[in-house]
Amino acid sequence: MLDLDASIYVAGHTGLVGSALVRRLQQAGARQLLLRTRAELDLRRQADVEHFFQQQRPQYVLLAAAKVGGIEANRTRPAQFLRDNLQIQTNVIDAAYRCGVRKLLFLGSSCIYPRNAPQPMSEECLLSGALEPTNEWYAIAKIAGLKMCQAYRREFGFDAITAMPTNLYGPGDNFNLTDAHVLPALIRKCFEAKLAHAEALLVWGSGTPRREFLHVDDLADACLYLMNRYSEEAAINVGWGTDISIAELARLIADEVGFAGALQFDRTRPDGMARKLLDVARMTALGWRPRIGLAEGVAATCEWYRAHQVQLRR
Ligand code: GFB
């Protein structure tokens, strides 16, 4: 069981996932959260990470720090996605093991599975085929992180586990159109299209790819659940096991925001993976299910954006 009186380091606490983990841990009654901003601790620098762990000696680590972004950011910055993620995860996992951390949770991503994997994708299909080219650099880094957790468990007995979440969204997401994921990007575009009385909303790609979306507060809940109950080498998928097309998502968001114009598809932009649906049987068997449905989660995230849009534009 996660000892809520012990020191818990949430790496990446200012991001979408990290901030949700902090909220969930505080709600659970965690008394010693250890947090560092990027300016205070650059996780890409090995010596700094080792020094931090030696000084602070956290007992648990939730590794939510990563370089992330949508399909366009992945396409244009392959070196940064590969390098930054390899550096961050290698430094943190190794330092955590060396400092005697009791348990570490690493976060992967559903894009680690092969592009032609049978749907829904079970944990077993890892490394059974070629990756989707639009995010292979990020996927390679995440696969290395998962393998590092497995190797440290086998060789050193380190209790490192990996959760494999589907596409995430929620408060505190990145709404910057050049590197955002689809859901926050479409929220912003809908608000702007409504304000401008635009006739159409520009949606990248054909609108036919299907994606599964999980509210980040559900992921945070799943992470605590796993910290309390799971201690095995195999990664574990976290999602709903249901998906929606990008065109349907765009319509859902447009209706929520009150934009009544048409959807216009920009087919010069990549679709990425045709489908990326997780098989969540393992997580369900452990007794965990998400709670925040897509309509409810989208409404809450639109509300969050409405309240923060002035700050976000600065
Ligand atoms: O969320 P997204 O950027 O990434 O795009 P992936 C999902 C789908 O939405 C693609 C379409 O088919 C996009 O073409 N889309 C439509 C848009 N309009 C937009 C828009 O305005 N912005 C964006 N960004 N997309 C990511 C990976 O893949 O999934 C990451 O690149 C990560 O590595 C993440 O794993 C979970 O779902 O295709």
Side-chain angles (χ1 to χ4, degrees), residues 69-72 74 109-111 134-135 138 166-167 180-183 185-186 189 202-205 209 211 246 269-273 276:
I71 197 164
E72 182 63 13
N74 272 267
S109 162
S110 60
C111 72
T134 53
N135 57 33
Y138 178 74
T166 186
N167 289 37
H181 288 99
V182 60
L183 197 148
L186 289 179
K189 284 182 179 177
L202 197 63
V203 180
W204 292 355
R211 293 288 183 274
I246 297 301
R269 299 279 189 167
D271 270 345
M273 220 147 131
K276 220 173 8 170

Side-chain angles (χ1 to χ4, degrees), residues 43-79:
L43 295 172
R44 296 171 302 182
R45 300 171 70 101
Q46 185 183 10
D48 294 0
V49 174
E50 281 176 359
H51 181 72
F52 166 76
F53 271 84
Q54 276 157 14
Q55 293 288 307
Q56 301 298 328
R57 303 234 155 234
Q59 295 192 48
Y60 298 93
V61 175
L62 298 166
L63 177 42
K67 172 133 192 105
V68 298
I71 197 164
E72 182 63 13
N74 272 267
R75 189 186 68 79
T76 51
R77 282 175 248 153

Side-chain angles (χ1 to χ4, degrees), residues 16-254:
L16 173 69
V17 174
S19 56
L21 286 169
V22 169
R23 286 194 295 276
R24 183 67 187 84
L25 284 161
Q26 284 171 337
Q27 186 195 34
R31 291 157 65 94
Q32 283 191 68
L33 288 183
L34 193 51
L35 310 171
R36 291 291 182 275
T37 63
R38 199 173 309 174
E40 291 164 341
L41 174 63
D42 185 340
L43 295 172
R44 296 171 302 182
R45 300 171 70 101
Q46 185 183 10
D48 294 0
V49 174
E50 281 176 359
H51 181 72
F52 166 76
F53 271 84
Q54 276 157 14
Q55 293 288 307
Q56 301 298 328
R57 303 234 155 234
Q59 295 192 48
Y60 298 93
V61 175
L62 298 166
L63 177 42
K67 172 133 192 105
V68 298
I71 197 164
E72 182 63 13
N74 272 267
R75 189 186 68 79
T76 51
R77 282 175 248 153
Q80 293 180 49
F81 276 81
L82 187 60
R83 180 201 60 199
D84 289 10
N85 285 307
L86 285 174
Q87 287 176 330
I88 292 168
Q89 67 206 27
T90 304
N91 292 341
V92 173
I93 295 168
D94 187 61
Y97 157 64
R98 286 179 192 283
C99 283
V101 161
R102 284 154 72 176
K103 188 173 193 123
L104 175 144
L105 173 94
F106 174 67
L107 285 160
S109 162
S110 60
C111 72
I112 66 159
Y113 296 124
R115 70 173 312 204
N116 294 321
Q119 305 284 326
M121 305 180 294
S122 81
E123 292 86 351
E124 268 97 49
C125 69
L126 182 68
L127 293 174
S128 61
L131 295 166
E132 157 61 35
T134 53
N135 57 33
E136 70 172 316
W137 313 96
Y138 178 74
I140 294 273
K142 287 291 180 184
I143 293 170
L146 153 64
K147 287 289 167 193
M148 192 162 165
C149 289
Q150 292 181 342
Y152 273 53
R153 175 178 291 276
R154 279 192 197 181
E155 188 173 341
F156 306 133
F158 182 38
D159 191 2
I161 58 171
T162 303
M164 215 52 78
T166 186
N167 289 37
L168 301 167
Y169 71 97
D173 208 341
N174 172 13
F175 290 84
N176 178 358
L177 293 181
T178 52
D179 53 15
H181 288 99
V182 60
L183 197 148
L186 289 179
I187 289 180
R188 180 172 184 163
K189 284 182 179 177
C190 279
F191 272 98
E192 292 182 353
K194 186 183 173 194
L195 197 67
H197 301 288
E199 285 182 3
L201 174 76
L202 197 63
V203 180
W204 292 355
S206 65
T208 57
R210 300 185 70 82
R211 293 288 183 274
E212 175 183 8
F213 296 97
L214 181 73
H215 193 282
V216 72
D217 286 345
D218 273 335
L219 174 73
D221 189 61
C223 289
L224 260 65
Y225 196 89
L226 290 169
M227 286 297 279
N228 282 324
R229 293 175 180 79
Y230 191 71
S231 185
E232 282 172 42
E233 177 178 301
I236 187 152
N237 289 342
V238 184
W240 276 99
T242 55
D243 60 6
I244 177 173
S245 76
I246 297 301
E248 288 166 326
L249 175 74
R251 199 67 269 166
L252 174 76
I253 294 173

